[in-house]
Amino acid sequence: MLKQVNKYTLMHKNITVADLELDRATGVILAVKKIYTPEHLPVGTTQKESVDRRRLNIWWHNRTIPASRFKIQSVLEQLKLTNSTLLAERCFGLSLSDQYWLKPANSSVKWSEINFFDNSFSTDIGNLLFEQSPNNKEIDFISPDSTSDGWLKKRWVIVNGQRCLIKGGSGAIQQEPYNEVLSSRIMERLNIAHVPYNLLMQDNYPYCICEDFIDSETELISAGYIMNTEKQPNHISTYNHFINCCEKLGIANIQTFLNQMLTFDFLIVNEDRHFHNFGLIRNAETLEYIGIAPIYDNGTSLWYNKPTGLINPRSKTESKPFKDTHSEQIKLVKDFSWFDFAKLNDIDEELRSIFKDSIFIDERRCEALCIALQERINMLQQIANK
């Protein structure tokens, strides 16, 4: 039995990239029929100078809401969709992280008419994901909320003309939004390029909000795709392979950035700095790499899902992306001269001010976090002194 297919043209802004056929039932890319501009294919989806359909499917799947997202299954049931890939397909695959989209075959729709950077978008999907009623009886699927990754509750909004991401917390502690705000304050003190987060309360629940650092001319290319631009030799570590790939793309200061990111992640005990949580920024039209993306997505840190009694700064803690534990990963950092420890002298007071009005985090937990964070600073200073 032949599969029923939907035919699209993969577009990069106004550039025609390739003709695709997607399985109508699952949204999987079944065939790449014709390639027009191979240099504009998504980064890391080619192999031996030819498009790799498996890699292209991974790229397409990664721009959809993961199955682990809060309430996504009930939303899909409401919409009578079998998976979130079909949800992304309903909004042309448009995102607020890059400039790729799917143009339906024989359609005259233009990038300028539908992209989310220059045009407003529906809040219906965001409302459903936040357990709110949609604005219309007939759902408007044209929304960047259909292509937002990550497992935490989140949605896009427009505030004073700026595209902003609102992100929630998890479990009984709801600590992730507070962690994002504290992380911003720490990186601001240490002069680390980062995405600023602010705290937002809605219906007594904490959220963090940040502005999109991508615009209609640029796009984020995550580290996972960057590493696919070159074959990794068996004798080269993942850490060095990533550096080599970046240097071949013209990014000269990548090691300085990694020193800062890995040191910061050690400090806050970040457990989820995976290869799609940092990356590079490039110009979408010229394909020139502009630089390194500011550090973002720091919520899964500071023992966010641990009971207060298990907050222990010297316990073995998981890390990503280059080593399994922070005690091993911090050894990759060879230069701490940029780190001014004096700038964190009163960081405990900053933490208390951020957490003080939380109905989820009591005084005992707040004090435990203050003590643990100070001990992480002490540990880092001992490592730096060596």
Side-chain angles (χ1 to χ4, degrees):
M1 182 178 176
L2 291 174
K3 290 182 179 291
Q4 290 186 311
V5 300
N6 288 329
K7 295 182 179 182
Y8 294 98
T9 298
L10 177 63
M11 303 289 294
H12 198 202
K13 293 191 74 172
N14 297 307
I15 297 168
T16 303
V17 181
D19 289 336
L20 308 177
E21 288 186 351
L22 274 63
D23 185 337
R24 192 170 294 175
T26 65
V28 170
I29 299 171
L30 295 175
V32 181
K33 303 302 288 186
K34 184 177 180 179
I35 299 174
Y36 300 94
T37 49
E39 66 273 19
H40 280 270
L41 283 164
V43 174
T45 61
T46 58
Q47 197 169 31
K48 296 180 180 179
E49 300 181 356
S50 178
V51 66
D52 184 320
R53 188 169 63 86
R54 181 187 67 83
R55 287 186 176 186
L56 191 62
N57 263 306
I58 292 172
W59 170 84
W60 173 233
H61 178 75
N62 283 344
R63 70 195 286 111
T64 65
I65 300 175
S68 57
R69 171 77 65 83
F70 177 77
K71 292 293 181 181
I72 183 58
Q73 293 306 320
S74 62
V75 169
L76 291 174
E77 288 173 11
Q78 273 185 269
L79 299 174
K80 297 180 181 179
L81 298 174
T82 54
N83 61 59
S84 58
T85 305
L86 299 176
L87 187 59
E89 198 177 336
R90 293 286 187 94
C91 71
F92 304 101
L94 286 162
S95 167
L96 276 168
S97 296
D98 63 27
Q99 318 299 329
Y100 286 99
W101 60 292
L102 297 181
K103 183 177 182 179
N106 303 317
S107 170
S108 60
V109 66
K110 297 178 181 178
W111 164 258
S112 59
E113 299 169 340
I114 61 171
N115 80 81
F116 296 138
F117 297 97
D118 302 315
N119 299 282
S120 60
F121 45 80
S122 167
T123 59
D124 287 352
I125 300 301
N127 285 343
L128 289 173
L129 290 168
F130 272 53
E131 301 177 275
Q132 299 168 359
S133 299
N135 294 327
N136 309 293
K137 287 185 178 180
E138 187 173 336
I139 300 294
D140 184 346
F141 286 88
I142 307 302
S143 165
D145 296 319
S146 299
T147 52
S148 61
D149 61 358
W151 60 281
L152 285 172
K153 186 177 179 181
K154 62 179 65 172
R155 68 182 303 176
W156 286 98
V157 295
I158 300 175
V159 181
N160 297 326
Q162 297 292 325
R163 274 64 185 157
C164 298
L165 182 66
I166 296 175
K167 185 166 58 171
S170 66
I173 305 173
Q174 297 284 310
Q175 190 176 314
E176 293 93 337
Y178 298 101
N179 289 347
E180 293 284 15
V181 177
L182 179 64
S183 294
S184 294
R185 307 278 178 86
I186 292 173
M187 286 189 282
E188 185 176 353
R189 290 176 178 223
L190 296 174
N191 199 29
I192 298 174
H194 66 284
V195 175
Y197 289 83
N198 291 305
L199 199 62
L200 177 70
M201 300 299 296
Q202 290 186 350
D203 300 323
N204 295 320
Y205 276 82
Y207 297 88
C208 61
I209 182 169
C210 68
E211 291 185 7
D212 191 2
F213 58 90
I214 296 300
D215 58 32
S216 60
E217 304 299 321
T218 61
E219 54 193 4
L220 173 66
I221 311 296
S222 64
Y225 298 128
I226 296 297
M227 291 194 298
N228 281 341
T229 59
E230 300 284 340
K231 182 175 174 58
Q232 182 177 348
N234 292 333
H235 66 286
I236 298 294
S237 69
T238 304
Y239 173 78
N240 285 317
H241 177 63
F242 177 64
I243 291 175
N244 292 341
C245 290
C246 289
E247 289 179 345
K248 287 188 177 181
L249 295 172
I251 306 298
N253 58 338
I254 188 63
Q255 197 151 18
T256 300
F257 166 78
L258 290 176
N259 283 340
Q260 293 183 331
M261 185 181 77
L262 298 183
T263 301
F264 172 69
D265 283 348
F266 176 90
L267 186 66
I268 66 168
V269 200
N270 191 345
E271 299 180 29
D272 199 33
R273 182 73 69 199
H274 55 75
F275 286 113
H276 291 282
N277 260 358
F278 65 105
L280 307 180
I281 297 176
R282 74 170 181 176
N283 183 292
E285 294 185 1
T286 67
L287 305 184
E288 176 187 0
Y289 283 85
I290 299 168
I292 305 163
I295 294 177
Y296 60 94
D297 211 348
N298 316 290
T300 49
S301 56
L302 292 171
W303 306 274
Y304 71 101
N305 60 351
K306 301 287 192 301
T308 301
L310 293 182
I311 295 175
N312 182 355
R314 292 192 174 271
S315 63
K316 184 177 180 181
T317 52
E318 294 181 7
S319 73
K320 295 174 183 175
F322 302 113
K323 298 290 183 180
D324 293 333
T325 64
H326 281 289
S327 59
E328 287 298 311
Q329 187 160 262
I330 196 64
K331 294 176 183 177
L332 296 171
V333 179
K334 304 303 181 186
D335 177 24
F336 294 94
S337 61
W338 57 274
F339 197 110
D340 187 350
F341 286 91
K343 290 186 176 180
L344 298 183
N345 282 344
D346 61 345
I347 197 62
D348 57 329
E349 293 303 318
E350 189 93 66
L351 188 153
R352 288 188 184 94
S353 69
I354 293 169
F355 285 76
K356 68 176 181 179
D357 295 324
S358 172
I359 62 174
F360 297 94
I361 299 169
D362 58 23
E363 187 175 342
R364 177 170 169 261
R365 184 174 184 85
C366 185
E367 286 306 307
L369 289 170
C370 285
I371 293 169
L373 181 57
Q374 185 57 58
E375 183 59 21
R376 294 297 287 188
I377 295 172
N378 295 339
M379 292 166 63
L380 188 59
Q381 192 151 26
Q382 290 171 7
I383 293 168
N385 290 341
K386 289 180 181 178

